[in-house]
Amino acid sequence: MRILLYFVLICIFLPIVNRKIAAQEFDYRDQFSQLRIYQVMVEAFIDGDSTRNYDAGYGPSHHKGDLKGITKALPYIKSLGMNAIWLTPIFDAGKGTGPDPKLEATAYFPHDYFKVDPNFGSFDDAKEMVEKAHELGLYVFFDGVFGHHNGDVKASPSGKKPVGEGRHVKYPESLEFYKEVATYWIDVLEIDGWRLDQAQQVPLKYWKEIREAVEQKTRERKKAGKKWGTLGYMVAEVWKSEQEIAELVYGKESMIGLYSAFNFPMRYRLVQVLAVEENGKGKMPASVLDNGYETHQQYPAHAIPNLMLTNHDLVRFGDLIERAGYAGKEDSNYWKRHQAAFSFMAAYSGPITIYYGDEIGAEVPGFAQRILDSCWVKDLCDDHVSRTSGKISGFDEWEEALKNYLSSLMKLREAHPALWKGTRKNLIAESAIYVDYKRCNDDQILYILNSSMHPQTVSIPASEIDGEQLVNAFHEKRVVREGNNFYIKIDGLTGEFYIEK
């Protein structure tokens, strides 16, 4: 009889628990998927305080970036239509104590996780930056290095220290220290989450515990009526295949590690279609983009992949265009390829990240033709060439146009949830043409990409569309149904959005 009673109780309460878990995950999916993140490399970005400089670093920048420079740039970042900013690490790297000042300038090998690096600014500078970002409606994400450090780490406010040999972190011995790091900055600066460096260095089950500590902290803040420091977004960097990302970051429904990771596999497909990836593989058909979405089936249901085009460890898209043998900035197609890539990102299902400078088509002159074996001589290697000086004014005509185009895309994405969270149905995935139909309740948008350099006429079966006409989202061009199809002419290297009417 007791066994029967237990069975009845399980049948009653298990669906309720599952619905609560599903509702929680859906809430996370909506909040995280709408993120439009702008990434900055702190030491390379903007010099806002001449007294706060590293004057050293990898890559071709001035190496004078600081927190006041980021604060100065916030209105510009907001004008791009972004709603979040991610900073590379700002924690004290212990300048002068390590063997490589260039490495210290990246701050990816922290010395004191609870102190702002004085070469970037003070605690008050960081506080001012976060508060200004929040005033503008921008989330702020710090960069968490929880798997390695500079080998000599200061204790936390509660007296904890990480454990491990040399620069390597050992778990579970270091777990409580990093839980304290992850929650401390949410409390003292009200940051909104973390980008997690080399996340494969932390075992999945401990990511689960760190995530749960962050979620508990954000719940406490919400309950206390706080507006910021309540999101708790955590996105992992694992530079591997879909299957490996699933195993190392996402886990399974029975053991959820993290909800979000950067979508390196889709990024490589995107640059392969419109340029080449770093190893020269490219000029691929547009159909590989649909394949990129199909491989998401290797991820568990809770996964929320984040798509980027460039980051501080990758070659800028502009340089990859030139590495593919296409013309550079002097040619209109260089700018059209950027526009096409941004259009795909605007239509992407999930959060997206824009690396500073990509919005103005930045590249390093001559880098695509440089002999890679000698890259260290000129400090221009694939893994740090994109760390150029930031620029937030003084644009030429081409840069201004690309920047404005990205801004219009971000505003479109914000206005149409179908783009970032809608169901996706691929209608065409061919050599040059890619078409997705995105839908979220009554919000229905058709996205078309022509990856070739020539105009194409795309035939869309009317049976796939609810309305009788389609209206271009930007210039009010109307396409009326003709018999059983909609016929849409689209220029080369162009992405277009049509709203059902």
Side-chain angles (χ1 to χ4, degrees), residues 327-383:
K329 285 186 169 183
E330 73 284 357
D331 189 278
S332 62
N333 285 335
Y334 174 91
W335 304 94
K336 288 181 179 179
R337 290 183 185 279
H338 277 85
Q339 290 183 340
F342 289 153
S343 75
F344 182 82
M345 295 182 73
Y348 175 76
S349 301
I352 58 174
T353 299
I354 302 294
Y355 184 62
Y356 79 98
D358 273 8
E359 77 276 9
I360 54 171
E363 50 87 54
V364 175
F367 176 72
Q369 290 76 41
R370 193 174 298 278
I371 298 174
L372 298 184
D373 289 343
S374 64
C375 72
W376 292 102
V377 176
K378 296 293 185 181
D379 203 13
L380 291 176
C381 303
D382 274 12
D383 66 347

Side-chain angles (χ1 to χ4, degrees), residues 263-275:
N263 197 345
F264 284 94
M266 181 66 94
R267 180 267 178 183
Y268 282 112
R269 288 173 174 86
L270 180 57
V271 298
Q272 287 168 9
V273 170
L274 293 167

Side-chain angles (χ1 to χ4, degrees), residues 7-230:
F7 178 77
V8 171
L9 290 174
I10 289 172
C11 290
I12 292 173
F13 289 106
L14 186 59
I16 296 174
V17 172
N18 286 340
R19 282 197 298 272
K20 286 183 177 180
I21 293 173
Q24 183 185 50
E25 288 178 3
F26 182 78
D27 185 48
Y28 282 133
R29 184 170 298 281
D30 276 8
Q31 292 186 62
F32 296 166
S33 294
Q34 65 181 315
L35 289 171
R36 305 180 299 279
I37 304 170
Y38 189 82
Q39 183 204 348
V40 299
M41 184 82 188
V42 178
E43 66 87 13
F45 189 47
I46 302 293
D47 183 8
D49 182 349
S50 61
T51 68
R52 306 280 191 175
N53 300 317
Y54 252 102
D55 291 323
Y58 293 108
S61 84
H62 48 52
H63 308 304
K64 297 180 182 295
D66 49 53
L67 289 166
K68 283 190 176 295
I70 295 171
T71 302
K72 179 182 177 181
L74 290 173
Y76 167 78
I77 295 169
K78 178 68 175 181
S79 75
L80 296 174
M82 313 310 291
N83 64 3
I85 181 171
W86 150 35
L87 288 63
T88 52
I90 64 167
F91 308 129
D92 187 5
K95 185 177 183 182
T97 64
D100 188 348
K102 290 183 178 182
L103 193 62
E104 291 165 19
T106 70
Y108 275 107
F109 288 85
H111 167 63
D112 189 342
Y113 284 85
F114 299 88
K115 178 185 176 183
V116 174
D117 193 314
N119 299 287
F120 295 147
S122 64
F123 176 87
D124 287 341
D125 292 335
K127 184 176 179 64
E128 178 189 18
M129 184 273 299
V130 174
E131 289 178 348
K132 179 65 174 178
H134 286 164
E135 288 173 10
L136 293 170
L138 296 168
Y139 293 113
V140 179
F141 304 132
F142 279 2
D143 207 317
V145 189
F146 296 174
H148 58 271
H149 46 67
N150 84 335
D152 175 28
V153 178
K154 287 285 190 74
S156 72
S158 67
K160 300 180 181 68
K161 294 187 73 170
V163 176
E165 295 183 5
R167 296 182 171 190
H168 301 288
V169 175
K170 186 177 181 181
Y171 283 87
E173 291 86 346
S174 303
L175 178 62
E176 293 305 314
F177 174 83
Y178 285 106
K179 285 166 69 173
E180 186 172 347
V181 175
T183 55
Y184 174 85
W185 292 101
I186 293 174
D187 256 347
V188 300
L189 285 186
E190 299 192 301
I191 69 165
D192 305 288
W194 294 91
R195 179 265 186 184
L196 303 165
D197 186 62
Q198 297 190 50
Q200 72 276 5
Q201 295 179 338
V202 178
L204 179 76
K205 61 182 178 180
Y206 302 121
W207 275 134
K208 177 180 183 293
E209 293 201 40
I210 295 172
R211 171 181 58 78
E212 289 175 344
V214 167
E215 290 173 351
Q216 180 178 346
K217 177 61 66 177
T218 59
R219 285 194 298 268
E220 290 172 359
R221 293 181 60 81
K222 286 179 184 177
K223 188 175 181 180
K226 303 290 186 180
K227 180 178 180 180
W228 300 102
T230 59

